[in-house]
Amino acid sequence: MGKVIAIDGPAASGKSTVAKRVAAALDDALYVDSGAVYRGITWAALERGVDVHDADAVEAMLGELDVRFFSRDGAAGFSIDGIEPGTAIRTQAVNNAVSPVAVIPAVRVQVVKWLREMASLGTLVMEGRDIGTAVFPNTPHKFYLDASAEERIRRRHREMAADSAIDEDEVGTSLRRRDKIDSSRKMDPLQVAPGATRIDSTAMGIDDVVNTILSAVSEDV
Ligand code: DC
């Protein structure tokens, strides 16, 4: 089993960018976006007309899906019933439906199982909400990336403004709502894992955050 570097944190904390960069800097490490798996299931439910608020219906659908994982270009990818959803998991419809899907216990149990199985593929840099607390609680390499809500709203707005004229208040409302759902759900809520290094990136550049993680990981070995 390879080494696992767990990077958790709230929306727009910079997790994805940082995790990709950390994976690229390490030999043979695979970047894993765990949120993409919850999004994939949500996409499949929407495609099939399954009500995402009906936990039994989502669970029944999950049992019938043929989900396969693979590694490509340094990252983990997946297909569902032979289709790679790609950018279809990033639509507004999926954004709105993914939180209710991610609170369904049967969904979480299955996704955690899949994520653990990926450790057989090699060293993983996995980002998410519960990687250090629930998926790989025993890894010594745990990081919790944070930034002030104002800074995260600014970052998300900047990201989205590239393709739509959405205003900052709207981004703020949606981000704060997601924060609340993610940190207050009963199963595996977003929280700082015991033993995790908390990094507040509000006033830090990406290089600083990446280097902080890389030096902590190399000291741990
Ligand atoms: O990071 P993201 O926006 O792609 O995450 C999508 C959803 O999945 C979000 O509602 C939180 C949830 N999620 C989770 O519950 N646990 C994870 N490890 C990753 C994501």
Side-chain angles (χ1 to χ4, degrees):
M1 206 172 98
K3 167 157 71 178
V4 176
I5 296 155
I7 304 182
D8 290 306
S13 57
K15 285 180 315 228
S16 312
T17 312
V18 167
K20 277 182 206 158
R21 293 268 303 269
V22 170
L26 296 170
D27 273 347
D28 294 329
L30 209 57
Y31 161 70
V32 186
D33 173 1
S34 64
V37 183
Y38 291 96
R39 288 173 176 273
I41 295 169
T42 306
W43 167 80
L46 295 175
E47 285 283 294
R48 288 160 182 73
V50 172
D51 177 2
V52 295
H53 297 279
D54 181 342
D56 292 339
V58 174
E59 186 177 349
M61 174 200 77
L62 193 58
E64 285 165 10
L65 295 180
D66 177 17
V67 182
R68 294 178 190 215
F69 293 90
F70 52 84
S71 92
R72 183 189 294 152
D73 300 331
F78 61 86
S79 64
I80 299 182
D81 289 348
I83 298 172
E84 290 179 37
T87 53
I89 63 169
R90 309 274 166 204
T91 61
Q92 197 53 41
V94 172
N95 287 347
N96 293 337
V98 68
S99 286
V101 169
V103 298
I104 300 172
V107 168
R108 301 205 69 80
V109 168
Q110 180 59 72
V111 173
V112 168
K113 189 164 169 272
W114 283 330
L115 295 173
R116 286 184 182 148
E117 284 168 5
M118 286 184 198
S120 66
L121 298 173
T123 293
L124 305 179
V125 182
M126 189 176 285
E127 57 129 323
R129 305 286 197 289
D130 62 344
I131 311 307
T133 51
V135 185
F136 291 107
N138 295 326
T139 178
H141 317 289
K142 297 184 209 179
F143 300 89
Y144 185 92
L145 211 54
D146 210 351
S148 69
E150 293 70 26
E151 175 62 17
R152 292 187 291 113
I153 290 164
R154 259 194 305 275
R155 288 179 188 169
R156 182 51 54 91
H157 181 241
R158 218 181 302 136
E159 219 174 80
M160 296 181 81
D163 46 31
S164 63
I166 188 161
D167 78 271
E168 200 163 315
D169 284 350
E170 218 176 300
V171 176
T173 309
S174 143
L175 195 126
R176 287 179 204 275
R177 197 186 60 224
R178 292 254 320 261
D179 278 0
K180 199 158 166 233
I181 297 176
D182 289 342
S183 53
S184 62
R185 66 164 176 247
K186 281 205 195 77
M187 197 170 170
D188 307 334
L190 172 67
Q191 54 188 350
V192 185
T197 303
R198 186 173 176 276
I199 303 173
D200 185 338
S201 73
T202 308
M204 285 170 89
I206 289 172
D207 286 345
D208 291 341
V209 180
V210 170
N211 290 332
T212 304
I213 294 179
L214 288 173
S215 36
V217 170
S218 65
E219 272 167 26
D220 281 348
V221 216

